[in-house]
Amino acid sequence: MRLDEAMRGVDAVGTGVPSYLEVNGVQYDSRRVVPGDIFVAMRGGATDGNRFIGTAIERGAVAVLTDSDELWKRPAMLYPGTPFYLMEHGRRALATVSANLFGHPEQALKISAVTGTNGKTTTAFLLEQMLRSAGRRCVLVGTIETHIGDEVRPSEHTTPESRDLLALFADGIRVGATEAVMEMSSHALEQERVWGLPVDVAIFTNLTQDHLDYHGTMQAYFEAKARLFAGVGAPPPRVAILNADDPDGGARLLQQNLSSGVMSYGMNAGEYRAERISLHAGRTEYLWKTPVGAVEIVSALTGRVNVYNLLAASCAALARGLSLEQIAEAARLLKPVPGRFETVANELGITVVVDYAHTDDALRNLIALARELVGNGRVITLFGCGGDRDRTKRPKMGRAAGEGSDLVVLTSDNPRTEDPAVILAEALAGVTETGAKYIVEPDRAKAIELAIHEARRGDIVLLAGKGHEKVQILNGVTVPFDDVAVAAAALQAH
């Protein structure tokens, strides 16, 4: 593709750019540049891509987009012969160039996007399964893994940068995909990593405290997620699916004059409502009443929180053209999501559950579900708090754990670069307020062994926080760690 074609629609000023120059691709990471690429050098939260322009050119970049006015003023002196563009918005430019070079795959897919604090991953997984059950070929992009039709790839980020996301979409088009289901994090919406994506169906699951280390306030956090419903460099979604039972997220959006068609869901409010709910371990049943009819939903998913996830996914599937009967049939066949209330098999009569719950609200919901299932047994909750993240939620998580559990085992999650002892002390402050019994063990493997050793037949042990993750970050170093594998070994030794 010619450079001027790749730059079509980009808001940038160029220096003597030869329109006939051929380009092959685009990169924002200098380590991935190959000859013929455009390099987009932009300032980020952790680093400044402008520092690596020289490296990119050495690796074969044939043109550079920069958001550095200083570099723009003297590119001929620094890098003679290389066309430079000055851009005001780096991520917008990256998205536009990428879309041009990949042939606008986003326009060939019907995109369903899920945002919210909790439930994004599960809702996205369930929706993809529903669409596939109706014969649709899908791209799935989310926290745990990425699906390109039948191919499964690991995910590095909940929502990738636009260049990588569009590359995934293009791969999906090549295997016949017509649908894309993706999680949209508040970071991605705020940073405009999803610039220009024409979302067809948008879902808001709920809003509880998280990521205040980045957003600062709950209002800013809400506004970042709400950007999905206004459109980020694209028109608003055709359909907005909102949790009417969620006062801080969906219910607030319901009060706004959205230009999208609105589908509201819930157990207590909403037009698409779950009634006559029956909850059992490994089985959930309810009557789904909608403006277009009612149908019995039966699923192997467990718990009240999954009723909300099922409602959100079902509304989206309905908006994407599935019938009530197709959705009910798909619900019966849904597979659980890795690391979301995932049980660890054993013959000891102890229920061991691995779950991603890493906010106080998610932890409270997880413990409430365990309490419903455990009968006369005890609830033992192991959790930790992430380092280099919102510190204000640590005592709240401690209170949530202490209020609902018979025993709390406090340990490390991903301390990252923080001192684990400091993190534990801040979380412990919340636990001690409740008067709950507790054990503190910074070593997560030892803590899991302790929690299982304390359990008796009929008890439930919750290993919260890491879920599907297969690594732990300690003192800035990433090491292999799998809650499921560690728990399985501890059960074997019990």
Side-chain angles (χ1 to χ4, degrees), residues 191-227:
Q191 296 169 1
E192 299 183 338
R193 287 185 235 155
V194 292
W195 183 262
L197 293 188
V199 175
D200 185 60
V201 176
I203 302 168
F204 201 129
T205 59
N206 51 64
L207 189 81
T208 60
Q209 183 176 327
D210 201 9
H211 303 305
L212 295 194
D213 55 304
Y214 179 81
H215 294 289
T217 66
M218 286 297 293
Q219 178 62 25
Y221 182 37
F222 168 76
E223 289 174 355
K225 290 192 174 295
R227 291 194 68 179

Side-chain angles (χ1 to χ4, degrees), residues 142-394:
T143 303
I144 298 178
E145 59 194 27
T146 296
H147 299 170
I148 307 296
D150 296 328
E151 181 189 357
V152 178
R153 303 179 185 177
S155 292
E156 293 185 11
H157 303 285
T158 296
T159 313
E161 291 283 359
S162 59
R163 183 257 173 231
D164 302 327
L165 184 59
L166 288 161
L168 295 172
F169 285 177
D171 288 346
I173 297 296
R174 281 191 282 274
V175 298
T178 58
E179 305 268 353
V181 180
M182 62 179 296
E183 299 177 50
M184 278 196 186
S185 67
S186 58
H187 292 71
L189 288 159
E190 179 74 22
Q191 296 169 1
E192 299 183 338
R193 287 185 235 155
V194 292
W195 183 262
L197 293 188
V199 175
D200 185 60
V201 176
I203 302 168
F204 201 129
T205 59
N206 51 64
L207 189 81
T208 60
Q209 183 176 327
D210 201 9
H211 303 305
L212 295 194
D213 55 304
Y214 179 81
H215 294 289
T217 66
M218 286 297 293
Q219 178 62 25
Y221 182 37
F222 168 76
E223 289 174 355
K225 290 192 174 295
R227 291 194 68 179
L228 170 57
F229 299 87
V232 182
R238 178 179 61 87
V239 179
I241 296 172
L242 308 174
N243 182 351
D245 289 349
D246 175 47
D248 297 318
R252 284 178 69 182
L253 281 173
L254 281 170
Q255 297 171 3
Q256 298 182 10
N257 187 26
L258 298 180
S259 60
S260 307
V262 173
M263 298 172 70
S264 60
Y265 68 91
M267 300 184 206
N268 306 309
E271 293 183 297
Y272 296 78
R273 191 177 305 191
E275 298 183 355
R276 302 207 311 249
I277 301 167
S278 176
L279 301 175
H280 307 278
R283 187 176 178 88
T284 293
E285 302 175 30
Y286 60 87
L287 177 68
W288 188 32
K289 293 188 70 173
T290 83
V292 295
V295 67
E296 291 286 344
I297 299 294
V298 179
S299 171
L301 300 179
T302 299
R304 191 168 299 272
V305 67
N306 275 318
V307 174
Y308 282 112
N309 295 330
L310 280 163
L311 284 169
S314 298
C315 285
L318 195 61
R320 288 297 313 131
L322 272 66
S323 68
L324 293 179
E325 292 71 25
Q326 284 177 309
I327 293 167
E329 180 60 26
R332 292 178 180 274
L333 303 175
L334 291 172
K335 297 177 181 178
V337 180
R340 270 59 175 178
F341 209 82
E342 181 176 354
T343 58
V344 183
N346 68 87
E347 298 178 356
L348 302 175
I350 301 168
T351 302
V352 179
V353 173
V354 173
D355 193 89
Y356 191 55
H358 62 283
T359 68
D360 59 301
D361 184 67
L363 197 55
R364 193 172 285 108
N365 288 335
L366 176 65
I367 294 168
L369 171 56
R371 187 62 69 186
E372 288 179 4
L373 301 176
V374 78
N376 295 324
R378 298 177 302 156
V379 176
I380 299 172
T381 302
L382 175 147
F383 83 102
C385 300
D388 302 332
R389 297 294 187 266
D390 179 10
R391 296 176 61 177
T392 65
K393 73 177 184 181
R394 294 171 185 171

Side-chain angles (χ1 to χ4, degrees), residues 12-23:
V13 180
T15 58
V17 180
S19 61
Y20 57 82
L21 183 64
E22 287 292 321
V23 295

